Coordinates of all heavy atoms in Angstrom, one line a residue:
M28 N 10.1 -17.8 -2.0 CA 10.0 -16.4 -1.6 C 10.3 -16.4 -0.1 O 9.8 -17.1 0.7 CB 8.5 -16.0 -1.8 CG 8.2 -14.6 -1.2 SD 6.6 -14.0 -1.5 CE 5.5 -15.2 -0.8
K29 N 11.3 -15.5 0.3 CA 11.7 -15.3 1.6 C 10.6 -14.4 2.3 O 9.9 -13.6 1.7 CB 13.0 -14.5 1.7 CG 14.2 -15.3 1.2 CD 15.5 -14.7 1.5 CE 15.6 -13.4 0.9 NZ 16.9 -12.8 1.0
L30 N 10.6 -14.5 3.7 CA 9.7 -13.7 4.4 C 10.2 -12.3 4.4 O 11.4 -12.0 4.5 CB 9.6 -14.1 5.9 CG 8.9 -15.4 6.2 CD1 8.9 -15.7 7.7 CD2 7.5 -15.3 5.7
A31 N 9.3 -11.4 4.0 CA 9.7 -9.9 3.9 C 9.5 -9.3 5.3 O 8.5 -9.4 5.9 CB 8.8 -9.2 2.9
T32 N 10.5 -8.7 5.8 CA 10.5 -8.0 7.0 C 11.1 -6.6 6.9 O 11.7 -6.3 5.9 CB 11.3 -8.8 8.1 OG1 12.7 -8.8 7.7 CG2 10.7 -10.2 8.3
W33 N 10.9 -5.8 7.9 CA 11.5 -4.4 7.9 C 13.0 -4.4 7.7 O 13.5 -3.6 7.0 CB 11.2 -3.7 9.2 CG 9.8 -3.2 9.3 CD1 8.8 -3.7 10.2 CD2 9.2 -2.1 8.6 NE1 7.7 -3.0 10.0 CE2 7.8 -2.0 9.0 CE3 9.6 -1.3 7.6 CZ2 7.0 -1.1 8.5 CZ3 8.7 -0.4 7.0 CH2 7.4 -0.3 7.5
D34 N 13.7 -5.4 8.3 CA 15.1 -5.4 8.3 C 15.7 -6.2 7.1 O 16.9 -6.4 7.0 CB 15.7 -5.9 9.6 CG 15.3 -7.3 10.0 OD1 14.3 -7.8 9.3 OD2 15.8 -7.8 10.9
C35 N 14.8 -6.7 6.3 CA 15.3 -7.4 5.1 C 15.1 -6.6 3.9 O 14.0 -6.4 3.4 CB 14.5 -8.7 4.9 SG 14.9 -9.7 3.4
E36 N 16.1 -5.9 3.4 CA 16.0 -4.9 2.3 C 16.1 -5.6 0.9 O 15.9 -4.9 -0.1 CB 17.1 -3.9 2.5 CG 16.9 -3.0 3.7 CD 15.7 -2.1 3.6 OE1 15.5 -1.6 2.4 OE2 15.1 -1.8 4.6
D37 N 16.4 -6.8 0.9 CA 16.7 -7.5 -0.4 C 15.6 -7.2 -1.4 O 15.8 -6.8 -2.6 CB 16.9 -9.0 -0.2 CG 17.3 -9.7 -1.5 OD1 18.1 -9.1 -2.3 OD2 16.7 -10.7 -1.8
W38 N 14.3 -7.4 -1.1 CA 13.2 -7.3 -2.0 C 13.0 -5.8 -2.4 O 12.6 -5.5 -3.5 CB 12.0 -7.9 -1.5 CG 11.4 -7.2 -0.3 CD1 11.7 -7.5 1.0 CD2 10.4 -6.2 -0.2 NE1 11.0 -6.6 1.9 CE2 10.1 -5.9 1.1 CE3 9.7 -5.5 -1.2 CZ2 9.2 -4.9 1.5 CZ3 8.7 -4.6 -0.9 CH2 8.5 -4.3 0.5
R39 N 13.3 -4.9 -1.5 CA 13.0 -3.5 -1.7 C 14.0 -2.9 -2.8 O 13.5 -2.1 -3.5 CB 13.2 -2.7 -0.4 CG 12.1 -2.9 0.6 CD 12.3 -2.0 1.7 NE 11.3 -2.3 2.7 CZ 11.1 -1.5 3.8 NH1 11.7 -0.4 3.9 NH2 10.1 -1.8 4.6
V40 N 15.2 -3.3 -2.8 CA 16.1 -2.8 -3.8 C 15.8 -3.2 -5.2 O 16.2 -2.6 -6.2 CB 17.6 -3.1 -3.5 CG1 18.0 -2.5 -2.2 CG2 17.9 -4.6 -3.5
R41 N 15.0 -4.2 -5.3 CA 14.5 -4.7 -6.7 C 13.1 -4.2 -7.1 O 12.6 -4.5 -8.1 CB 14.6 -6.2 -6.7 CG 16.0 -6.8 -6.5 CD 16.1 -8.3 -6.6 NE 15.5 -8.9 -5.4 CZ 14.6 -9.8 -5.5 NH1 14.2 -10.3 -6.6 NH2 14.0 -10.3 -4.4
A42 N 12.5 -3.4 -6.2 CA 11.2 -3.0 -6.4 C 11.1 -1.9 -7.5 O 12.0 -1.0 -7.6 CB 10.6 -2.4 -5.1
H43 N 10.1 -2.0 -8.4 CA 10.0 -1.0 -9.5 C 9.6 0.4 -8.9 O 9.9 1.4 -9.5 CB 8.8 -1.4 -10.4 CG 9.2 -2.5 -11.3 ND1 8.5 -2.9 -12.4 CD2 10.3 -3.3 -11.4 CE1 9.1 -3.9 -13.0 NE2 10.2 -4.2 -12.4
C44 N 9.0 0.4 -7.7 CA 8.6 1.7 -7.2 C 9.8 2.5 -6.5 O 9.6 3.6 -6.1 CB 7.5 1.5 -6.1 SG 8.1 0.5 -4.7
R45 N 10.9 1.9 -6.5 CA 12.1 2.5 -5.8 C 12.4 3.9 -6.3 O 12.8 4.7 -5.5 CB 13.3 1.6 -5.9 CG 14.5 2.0 -5.1 CD 15.4 0.8 -4.8 NE 16.5 1.2 -4.1 CZ 16.6 1.3 -2.8 NH1 15.5 1.0 -2.1 NH2 17.7 1.7 -2.2
D46 N 12.2 4.1 -7.5 CA 12.5 5.4 -8.1 C 11.3 6.3 -8.4 O 11.4 7.2 -9.2 CB 13.4 5.3 -9.4 CG 14.7 4.6 -9.0 OD1 15.3 4.9 -8.0 OD2 15.1 3.7 -9.8
V47 N 10.2 5.9 -7.8 CA 8.9 6.6 -8.0 C 8.6 7.4 -6.7 O 8.9 6.9 -5.6 CB 7.8 5.6 -8.4 CG1 6.5 6.3 -8.5 CG2 8.1 4.8 -9.6
D48 N 8.0 8.5 -6.9 CA 7.5 9.3 -5.7 C 6.6 8.5 -4.8 O 5.6 8.0 -5.3 CB 6.8 10.6 -6.2 CG 6.2 11.4 -5.1 OD1 6.5 11.1 -3.9 OD2 5.5 12.3 -5.4
P49 N 7.0 8.2 -3.6 CA 6.2 7.4 -2.7 C 4.8 7.9 -2.5 O 3.9 7.1 -2.2 CB 7.0 7.5 -1.3 CG 8.3 8.0 -1.7 CD 8.2 8.8 -2.9
G50 N 4.6 9.2 -2.7 CA 3.2 9.7 -2.6 C 2.2 9.1 -3.5 O 1.0 9.1 -3.2
L51 N 2.7 8.6 -4.6 CA 1.8 8.0 -5.6 C 1.1 6.8 -5.0 O -0.1 6.5 -5.3 CB 2.6 7.5 -6.8 CG 1.9 6.6 -7.8 CD1 0.8 7.5 -8.5 CD2 2.8 6.0 -8.9
F52 N 1.7 6.1 -4.0 CA 1.2 4.9 -3.4 C 0.3 5.1 -2.2 O -0.2 4.2 -1.6 CB 2.4 3.9 -3.1 CG 3.1 3.5 -4.3 CD1 4.2 4.3 -4.7 CD2 2.7 2.5 -5.1 CE1 4.9 4.0 -5.9 CE2 3.4 2.2 -6.3 CZ 4.5 2.9 -6.7
F53 N 0.2 6.4 -1.9 CA -0.6 6.8 -0.7 C -1.6 7.9 -1.1 O -1.6 9.0 -0.6 CB 0.3 7.2 0.5 CG 1.1 6.1 0.9 CD1 2.4 5.9 0.4 CD2 0.6 5.2 1.9 CE1 3.2 4.9 0.9 CE2 1.4 4.1 2.3 CZ 2.7 4.0 1.8
P54 N -2.6 7.5 -1.9 CA -3.6 8.5 -2.3 C -4.5 8.9 -1.2 O -4.7 8.1 -0.2 CB -4.4 7.7 -3.4 CG -4.3 6.3 -3.0 CD -2.9 6.2 -2.5
V55 N -5.0 10.1 -1.3 CA -6.0 10.6 -0.3 C -7.4 10.4 -0.8 O -7.8 11.0 -1.8 CB -5.7 12.1 0.0 CG1 -6.8 12.6 1.0 CG2 -4.3 12.3 0.5
G56 N -8.1 9.4 -0.2 CA -9.4 9.0 -0.6 C -9.4 7.9 -1.6 O -8.4 7.3 -1.9
V57 N -10.6 7.7 -2.2 CA -10.8 6.6 -3.1 C -11.6 7.0 -4.3 O -11.9 6.1 -5.2 CB -11.4 5.3 -2.5 CG1 -10.4 4.7 -1.4 CG2 -12.7 5.6 -1.8
T58 N -11.9 8.2 -4.4 CA -12.7 8.7 -5.5 C -12.0 9.8 -6.3 O -11.1 10.4 -5.8 CB -14.1 9.2 -5.1 OG1 -13.9 10.3 -4.2 CG2 -14.9 8.1 -4.4
G59 N -12.5 10.2 -7.4 CA -12.0 11.3 -8.2 C -10.5 11.1 -8.6 O -10.1 10.0 -9.1
E60 N -9.7 12.1 -8.3 CA -8.3 12.0 -8.6 C -7.6 10.8 -8.0 O -6.6 10.3 -8.5 CB -7.6 13.3 -8.3 CG -6.1 13.4 -8.7 CD -5.8 13.2 -10.2 OE1 -6.7 13.6 -11.0 OE2 -4.8 12.6 -10.5
A61 N -8.0 10.5 -6.8 CA -7.4 9.3 -6.1 C -7.6 8.0 -6.9 O -6.7 7.2 -6.8 CB -8.1 9.2 -4.7
E62 N -8.7 7.9 -7.6 CA -8.9 6.7 -8.4 C -7.8 6.6 -9.5 O -7.3 5.5 -9.7 CB -10.3 6.7 -9.1 CG -11.4 6.4 -8.1 CD -12.8 6.5 -8.8 OE1 -13.2 7.6 -9.3 OE2 -13.4 5.4 -9.0
V63 N -7.5 7.7 -10.1 CA -6.5 7.8 -11.1 C -5.1 7.4 -10.5 O -4.4 6.6 -11.1 CB -6.5 9.2 -11.8 CG1 -5.3 9.3 -12.7 CG2 -7.8 9.5 -12.5
Q64 N -4.9 8.0 -9.4 CA -3.6 7.7 -8.7 C -3.5 6.3 -8.3 O -2.4 5.7 -8.4 CB -3.5 8.6 -7.4 CG -2.2 8.6 -6.7 CD -2.1 9.5 -5.6 OE1 -2.9 10.5 -5.5 NE2 -1.2 9.4 -4.7
I65 N -4.6 5.7 -7.8 CA -4.5 4.2 -7.5 C -4.2 3.4 -8.7 O -3.4 2.5 -8.6 CB -5.9 3.8 -6.8 CG1 -6.0 4.5 -5.4 CG2 -6.0 2.3 -6.7 CD1 -7.4 4.4 -4.8
R66 N -4.9 3.7 -9.8 CA -4.6 2.9 -11.0 C -3.2 3.1 -11.5 O -2.5 2.1 -11.9 CB -5.6 3.3 -12.1 CG -7.0 2.8 -12.0 CD -7.8 2.9 -13.3 NE -7.9 4.3 -13.7 CZ -8.9 5.2 -13.3 NH1 -9.8 4.8 -12.4 NH2 -8.9 6.4 -13.7
R67 N -2.6 4.3 -11.4 CA -1.2 4.5 -11.7 C -0.3 3.7 -10.8 O 0.7 3.1 -11.3 CB -0.9 6.0 -11.7 CG -1.5 6.8 -12.8 CD -1.1 8.2 -12.8 NE 0.4 8.4 -12.7 CZ 1.0 9.4 -12.0 NH1 0.2 10.2 -11.3 NH2 2.3 9.5 -11.9
A68 N -0.5 3.7 -9.5 CA 0.3 3.0 -8.6 C 0.2 1.5 -8.9 O 1.3 0.8 -8.9 CB -0.2 3.3 -7.2
K69 N -1.0 1.0 -9.1 CA -1.1 -0.5 -9.4 C -0.4 -0.9 -10.7 O 0.1 -2.0 -10.8 CB -2.6 -0.8 -9.4 CG -3.2 -0.9 -8.1 CD -4.7 -1.3 -8.1 CE -5.2 -1.4 -6.7 NZ -6.6 -2.0 -6.8
R70 N -0.4 0.1 -11.7 CA 0.4 -0.2 -12.9 C 1.9 -0.4 -12.7 O 2.5 -1.2 -13.3 CB 0.1 0.9 -14.0 CG -1.1 0.6 -14.8 CD -1.2 1.4 -16.0 NE -1.0 2.9 -15.9 CZ -2.0 3.7 -15.6 NH1 -3.2 3.3 -15.6 NH2 -1.7 5.0 -15.5
V71 N 2.4 0.5 -11.8 CA 3.8 0.3 -11.4 C 4.0 -1.1 -10.8 O 5.0 -1.7 -11.1 CB 4.3 1.4 -10.4 CG1 5.7 1.2 -9.9 CG2 4.2 2.8 -11.1
C72 N 3.1 -1.5 -10.0 CA 3.3 -2.8 -9.3 C 3.1 -4.0 -10.2 O 3.7 -5.0 -10.0 CB 2.2 -2.9 -8.2 SG 2.4 -1.7 -6.8
A73 N 2.3 -3.8 -11.2 CA 1.8 -4.9 -12.1 C 3.0 -5.8 -12.6 O 2.9 -7.0 -12.6 CB 1.0 -4.4 -13.2
D74 N 4.1 -5.1 -13.1 CA 5.2 -5.9 -13.7 C 6.4 -6.0 -12.7 O 7.4 -6.4 -13.2 CB 5.6 -5.2 -15.0 CG 4.5 -5.3 -16.0 OD1 3.8 -6.3 -16.1 OD2 4.4 -4.3 -16.8
C75 N 6.2 -5.7 -11.5 CA 7.3 -5.7 -10.5 C 7.7 -7.1 -10.1 O 6.8 -8.0 -9.8 CB 6.9 -4.9 -9.3 SG 8.3 -4.7 -8.1
D76 N 9.0 -7.4 -10.1 CA 9.4 -8.8 -9.8 C 9.2 -9.1 -8.3 O 9.3 -10.3 -8.0 CB 10.9 -8.9 -10.1 CG 11.2 -8.7 -11.6 OD1 10.3 -9.0 -12.4 OD2 12.3 -8.3 -11.9
V77 N 9.1 -8.1 -7.5 CA 8.9 -8.4 -6.0 C 7.5 -8.0 -5.5 O 7.4 -7.8 -4.3 CB 10.0 -7.7 -5.2 CG1 11.4 -8.3 -5.5 CG2 10.0 -6.2 -5.4
R78 N 6.6 -8.0 -6.4 CA 5.2 -7.7 -6.0 C 4.7 -8.6 -4.9 O 4.1 -8.1 -3.9 CB 4.3 -7.8 -7.3 CG 2.9 -7.4 -7.0 CD 2.1 -7.3 -8.3 NE 2.3 -8.5 -9.2 CZ 1.7 -9.6 -9.1 NH1 0.7 -9.8 -8.2 NH2 1.9 -10.6 -9.9
L79 N 4.9 -9.9 -5.0 CA 4.4 -10.8 -4.0 C 5.1 -10.6 -2.6 O 4.4 -10.6 -1.6 CB 4.5 -12.2 -4.4 CG 3.7 -12.6 -5.6 CD1 3.9 -14.0 -6.1 CD2 2.2 -12.4 -5.4
E80 N 6.4 -10.3 -2.7 CA 7.1 -10.1 -1.4 C 6.6 -8.8 -0.8 O 6.4 -8.7 0.5 CB 8.6 -9.9 -1.7 CG 9.3 -11.3 -2.0 CD 9.4 -11.6 -3.5 OE1 8.5 -11.1 -4.2 OE2 10.2 -12.4 -3.8
C81 N 6.4 -7.8 -1.6 CA 5.8 -6.5 -1.1 C 4.5 -6.7 -0.4 O 4.2 -6.2 0.7 CB 5.8 -5.5 -2.2 SG 5.1 -3.9 -1.8
L82 N 3.6 -7.4 -1.1 CA 2.3 -7.7 -0.6 C 2.3 -8.5 0.7 O 1.7 -8.1 1.7 CB 1.4 -8.4 -1.6 CG 0.0 -8.9 -1.2 CD1 -0.8 -7.7 -0.8 CD2 -0.6 -9.7 -2.3
E83 N 3.2 -9.5 0.7 CA 3.3 -10.3 1.9 C 3.8 -9.4 3.1 O 3.4 -9.6 4.2 CB 4.2 -11.5 1.7 CG 4.1 -12.5 2.8 CD 2.7 -13.1 3.0 OE1 1.9 -13.2 2.0 OE2 2.3 -13.4 4.1
F84 N 4.8 -8.6 2.8 CA 5.3 -7.7 3.8 C 4.2 -6.8 4.4 O 4.0 -6.7 5.6 CB 6.4 -6.8 3.2 CG 6.8 -5.7 4.1 CD1 7.7 -5.9 5.1 CD2 6.3 -4.4 4.0 CE1 8.1 -4.9 6.0 CE2 6.7 -3.4 4.8 CZ 7.6 -3.6 5.8
A85 N 3.4 -6.2 3.5 CA 2.3 -5.4 4.0 C 1.3 -6.2 4.8 O 0.8 -5.7 5.8 CB 1.6 -4.8 2.7
L86 N 1.0 -7.4 4.4 CA 0.0 -8.2 5.2 C 0.6 -8.6 6.5 O -0.1 -8.5 7.6 CB -0.3 -9.5 4.4 CG -1.1 -9.2 3.1 CD1 -1.2 -10.5 2.2 CD2 -2.5 -8.7 3.4
R87 N 1.9 -9.0 6.6 CA 2.5 -9.4 7.8 C 2.7 -8.3 8.8 O 2.7 -8.5 10.0 CB 3.8 -10.1 7.6 CG 3.7 -11.5 6.9 CD 5.1 -12.1 6.7 NE 4.9 -13.4 6.0 CZ 4.6 -14.5 6.6 NH1 4.5 -14.6 7.9 NH2 4.5 -15.6 5.8
T88 N 2.9 -7.1 8.3 CA 3.2 -5.9 9.1 C 1.9 -5.0 9.3 O 2.0 -3.9 9.8 CB 4.4 -5.1 8.6 OG1 4.1 -4.6 7.3 CG2 5.7 -5.9 8.6
N89 N 0.8 -5.5 8.8 CA -0.5 -4.8 9.0 C -0.4 -3.4 8.4 O -0.9 -2.5 9.1 CB -1.0 -4.8 10.4 CG -1.4 -6.2 10.8 OD1 -2.0 -6.9 10.1 ND2 -0.9 -6.6 12.0
Q90 N 0.1 -3.2 7.2 CA 0.1 -1.9 6.6 C -1.4 -1.6 6.3 O -2.0 -2.3 5.5 CB 1.0 -1.9 5.4 CG 2.4 -2.2 5.6 CD 3.0 -1.2 6.6 OE1 2.9 0.1 6.4 NE2 3.7 -1.6 7.6
E91 N -1.9 -0.6 6.9 CA -3.3 -0.2 6.7 C -3.6 0.7 5.5 O -4.7 0.8 5.0 CB -3.9 0.4 7.9 CG -4.0 -0.6 9.1 CD -4.8 -0.1 10.2 OE1 -5.8 0.6 10.0 OE2 -4.4 -0.3 11.4
F92 N -2.6 1.5 5.1 CA -2.8 2.5 4.1 C -1.8 2.3 2.9 O -0.8 1.7 3.0 CB -2.5 3.9 4.7 CG -3.3 4.1 5.9 CD1 -2.8 4.1 7.2 CD2 -4.7 4.4 5.8 CE1 -3.6 4.3 8.3 CE2 -5.5 4.7 6.9 CZ -4.9 4.6 8.1
G93 N -2.3 2.7 1.8 CA -1.5 2.7 0.6 C -1.6 1.5 -0.3 O -2.4 0.6 0.0
I94 N -0.9 1.5 -1.4 CA -0.9 0.4 -2.4 C 0.4 -0.4 -2.1 O 1.5 0.2 -2.1 CB -0.8 0.9 -3.8 CG1 -2.0 1.9 -4.1 CG2 -0.9 -0.2 -4.8 CD1 -3.4 1.4 -3.9
W95 N 0.3 -1.6 -1.8 CA 1.4 -2.5 -1.5 C 1.2 -3.8 -2.4 O 0.2 -4.4 -2.3 CB 1.5 -2.9 -0.1 CG 1.8 -1.8 0.9 CD1 0.9 -0.9 1.4 CD2 3.1 -1.5 1.4 NE1 1.6 0.0 2.2 CE2 2.9 -0.4 2.3 CE3 4.3 -2.1 1.3 CZ2 4.0 0.2 3.0 CZ3 5.4 -1.5 2.0 CH2 5.2 -0.4 2.8
G96 N 2.2 -4.1 -3.1 CA 2.1 -5.3 -3.9 C 1.0 -5.3 -4.9 O 0.4 -6.3 -5.2
G97 N 0.6 -4.1 -5.3 CA -0.5 -4.0 -6.3 C -1.9 -4.1 -5.7 O -2.9 -4.1 -6.4
K98 N -2.0 -4.1 -4.3 CA -3.3 -4.2 -3.7 C -3.5 -3.0 -2.8 O -2.6 -2.5 -2.1 CB -3.4 -5.5 -2.8 CG -3.1 -6.8 -3.5 CD -4.2 -7.1 -4.5 CE -3.9 -8.5 -5.1 NZ -4.8 -8.7 -6.2
D99 N -4.8 -2.5 -2.8 CA -5.2 -1.4 -2.0 C -5.6 -1.9 -0.6 O -5.6 -3.1 -0.3 CB -6.2 -0.5 -2.7 CG -7.5 -1.2 -2.9 OD1 -7.9 -2.1 -2.1 OD2 -8.1 -1.0 -4.0
E100 N -6.0 -0.9 0.2 CA -6.4 -1.3 1.6 C -7.5 -2.3 1.7 O -7.4 -3.3 2.4 CB -6.8 0.0 2.4 CG -5.7 1.0 2.6 CD -5.7 2.1 1.5 OE1 -6.3 1.9 0.4 OE2 -5.2 3.2 1.8
E101 N -8.5 -2.1 0.9 CA -9.7 -3.0 1.0 C -9.3 -4.4 0.4 O -9.7 -5.4 1.0 CB -10.9 -2.4 0.2 CG -12.1 -3.3 0.3 CD -12.6 -3.5 1.7 OE1 -12.4 -2.7 2.6 OE2 -13.1 -4.6 1.9
E102 N -8.5 -4.4 -0.6 CA -8.1 -5.7 -1.2 C -7.3 -6.5 -0.1 O -7.4 -7.7 0.0 CB -7.3 -5.5 -2.4 CG -8.2 -5.0 -3.6 CD -7.4 -4.5 -4.8 OE1 -6.3 -3.9 -4.6 OE2 -7.8 -4.8 -5.9
R103 N -6.4 -5.8 0.6 CA -5.6 -6.5 1.7 C -6.5 -6.9 2.8 O -6.3 -8.0 3.4 CB -4.5 -5.6 2.1 CG -3.4 -5.4 1.1 CD -2.2 -4.8 1.6 NE -2.3 -3.6 2.4 CZ -2.5 -2.4 1.9 NH1 -2.4 -2.2 0.6 NH2 -2.6 -1.3 2.7
R104 N -7.6 -6.1 3.1 CA -8.5 -6.6 4.2 C -9.2 -7.9 3.8 O -9.4 -8.8 4.7 CB -9.6 -5.5 4.5 CG -9.1 -4.4 5.3 CD -10.2 -3.4 5.7 NE -9.7 -2.1 6.0 CZ -9.7 -1.1 5.2 NH1 -10.3 -1.1 4.0 NH2 -9.1 0.1 5.5
V105 N -9.6 -8.0 2.6 CA -10.2 -9.2 2.1 C -9.2 -10.4 2.2 O -9.6 -11.5 2.7 CB -10.7 -9.1 0.6 CG1 -11.1 -10.4 0.1 CG2 -11.8 -8.0 0.6
I106 N -8.0 -10.2 1.8 CA -7.0 -11.3 1.9 C -6.8 -11.7 3.4 O -6.8 -12.9 3.7 CB -5.6 -10.8 1.3 CG1 -5.8 -10.7 -0.2 CG2 -4.5 -11.8 1.7 CD1 -4.6 -10.0 -0.8
R107 N -6.7 -10.7 4.3 CA -6.6 -11.0 5.7 C -7.8 -11.8 6.2 O -7.6 -12.8 7.0 CB -6.4 -9.8 6.5 CG -5.0 -9.2 6.4 CD -4.9 -8.0 7.5 NE -3.8 -7.2 7.1 CZ -3.9 -6.0 6.5 NH1 -5.1 -5.5 6.3 NH2 -2.8 -5.3 6.2
R108 N -9.0 -11.4 5.8 CA -10.2 -12.0 6.2 C -10.2 -13.5 5.8 O -10.5 -14.4 6.5 CB -11.4 -11.3 5.7 CG -12.7 -11.7 6.3 CD -13.9 -10.7 5.9 NE -13.6 -9.3 6.0 CZ -13.6 -8.4 5.0 NH1 -13.9 -8.8 3.8 NH2 -13.3 -7.2 5.3
I109 N -9.9 -13.7 4.5 CA -9.8 -15.1 4.0 C -8.8 -15.9 4.7 O -9.1 -17.1 5.1 CB -9.5 -15.0 2.5 CG1 -10.7 -14.5 1.7 CG2 -9.1 -16.4 1.9 CD1 -10.4 -14.1 0.2
R110 N -7.6 -15.4 5.0 CA -6.6 -16.1 5.7 C -7.1 -16.5 7.1 O -6.8 -17.6 7.6 CB -5.3 -15.3 5.8 CG -4.6 -15.3 4.4 CD -3.3 -14.6 4.5 NE -2.6 -14.6 3.3 CZ -1.4 -14.1 3.1 NH1 -0.7 -13.6 4.1 NH2 -0.8 -14.2 1.9
R111 N -7.8 -15.6 7.8 CA -8.3 -15.8 9.1 C -9.3 -17.0 9.1 O -9.2 -17.9 9.9 CB -9.0 -14.6 9.7 CG -8.1 -13.8 10.6 CD -8.9 -12.8 11.4 NE -9.9 -12.0 10.7 CZ -9.7 -10.9 10.0 NH1 -8.5 -10.4 9.9 NH2 -10.7 -10.3 9.3
L112 N -10.2 -17.0 8.1 CA -11.2 -18.0 8.0 C -10.5 -19.3 7.7 O -10.9 -20.4 8.2 CB -12.2 -17.7 6.9 CG -13.1 -16.5 7.2 CD1 -13.9 -16.1 5.9 CD2 -14.0 -16.8 8.3
Q113 N -9.5 -19.3 6.8 CA -8.8 -20.6 6.5 C -8.1 -21.1 7.7 O -8.1 -22.4 8.0 CB -7.7 -20.3 5.4 CG -8.4 -20.1 4.0 CD -7.4 -19.6 3.0 OE1 -6.3 -19.1 3.3 NE2 -7.7 -19.9 1.7
R114 N -7.4 -20.3 8.5 CA -6.8 -20.7 9.8 C -7.8 -21.3 10.7 O -7.5 -22.4 11.3 CB -6.0 -19.6 10.4 CG -4.7 -19.3 9.8 CD -3.9 -18.3 10.6 NE -4.5 -17.1 11.0 CZ -4.5 -16.0 10.3 NH1 -3.8 -15.9 9.2 NH2 -5.1 -14.9 10.7
R115 N -9.0 -20.7 10.9 CA -10.0 -21.2 11.7 C -10.5 -22.6 11.3 O -10.7 -23.5 12.1 CB -11.2 -20.3 11.8 CG -10.9 -19.1 12.6 CD -12.1 -18.2 12.7 NE -11.8 -16.9 13.2 CZ -12.4 -15.8 13.0 NH1 -13.5 -15.8 12.2 NH2 -12.1 -14.6 13.5
A116 N -10.7 -22.7 9.9 CA -11.1 -24.0 9.4 C -10.1 -25.1 9.7 O -10.5 -26.2 10.0 CB -11.4 -23.8 7.9
V117 N -8.8 -24.8 9.5 CA -7.8 -25.8 9.7 C -7.7 -26.1 11.2 O -7.6 -27.3 11.6 CB -6.4 -25.2 9.3 CG1 -5.3 -26.1 9.8 CG2 -6.4 -25.1 7.7
S118 N -7.8 -25.2 12.1 CA -7.8 -25.4 13.5 C -9.0 -26.3 14.0 O -8.8 -27.1 14.9 CB -7.6 -24.2 14.4 OG -8.8 -23.4 14.3
R119 N -10.1 -26.1 13.4 CA -11.3 -26.9 13.7 C -11.2 -28.3 13.2 O -11.7 -29.2 13.8 CB -12.5 -26.2 13.1 CG -13.0 -25.0 13.8 CD -14.2 -24.4 13.2 NE -14.5 -23.1 13.8 CZ -15.0 -22.1 13.1 NH1 -15.3 -22.2 11.9 NH2 -15.2 -20.9 13.7
A120 N -10.5 -28.5 12.1 CA -10.3 -29.8 11.5 C -9.3 -30.7 12.3 O -9.3 -31.9 12.2 CB -9.9 -29.7 10.1
I121 N -8.5 -30.0 13.1 CA -7.4 -30.8 13.8 C -8.0 -31.4 15.0 O -8.9 -31.1 15.7 CB -6.2 -29.8 14.1 CG1 -5.6 -29.4 12.9 CG2 -5.3 -30.5 15.0 CD1 -4.4 -28.4 13.1

């Protein structure tokens, strides 16, 4: 997997969401209709060939909002937190 960056469009042209209304991936809120929208967006991501590249892009560029790589904002916060703890543990072990 290549590093996903803003200027690297290769992964984007293969994304399943390319032909979907971008608004689907940016629900307003997390309850009610937004829950339905989040599930729909994650279903688009579920079978996408570049899901991991998309997620990594969102993590590396600190995308705070929306569904990226099948993960919502809170799920990405958890991933960032875990990675921070892992980096600290490695730096302490050295």
Side-chain angles (χ1 to χ4, degrees):
M28 174 174 59
K29 293 191 297 185
L30 288 182
T32 62
W33 282 111
D34 58 349
C35 177
E36 293 289 326
D37 183 47
W38 66 274
R39 289 183 184 195
V40 297
R41 297 180 293 128
H43 286 190
C44 63
R45 188 157 177 85
D46 298 319
V47 177
D48 177 7
L51 175 66
F52 300 91
F53 295 93
V55 176
V57 293
T58 60
E60 184 57 36
E62 288 179 291
V63 173
Q64 188 175 343
I65 290 167
R66 284 194 301 274
R67 286 183 53 218
K69 287 182 175 186
R70 275 197 305 271
V71 172
C72 298
D74 295 322
C75 185
D76 296 334
V77 294
R78 182 173 44 88
L79 294 178
E80 288 90 338
C81 179
L82 175 59
E83 194 58 36
F84 170 82
L86 293 167
R87 289 180 184 276
T88 59
N89 291 316
Q90 298 300 312
E91 291 190 43
F92 304 103
I94 308 300
W95 292 83
K98 303 293 184 191
D99 61 36
E100 295 96 338
E101 184 56 33
E102 292 167 320
R103 290 194 308 278
R104 280 188 204 103
V105 169
I106 292 169
R107 284 189 199 102
R108 194 173 308 123
I109 290 169
R110 287 183 178 183
R111 266 194 314 275
L112 292 171
Q113 289 171 335
R114 283 192 303 270
R115 287 180 191 153
V117 167
S118 67
R119 288 181 188 143
I121 295 176

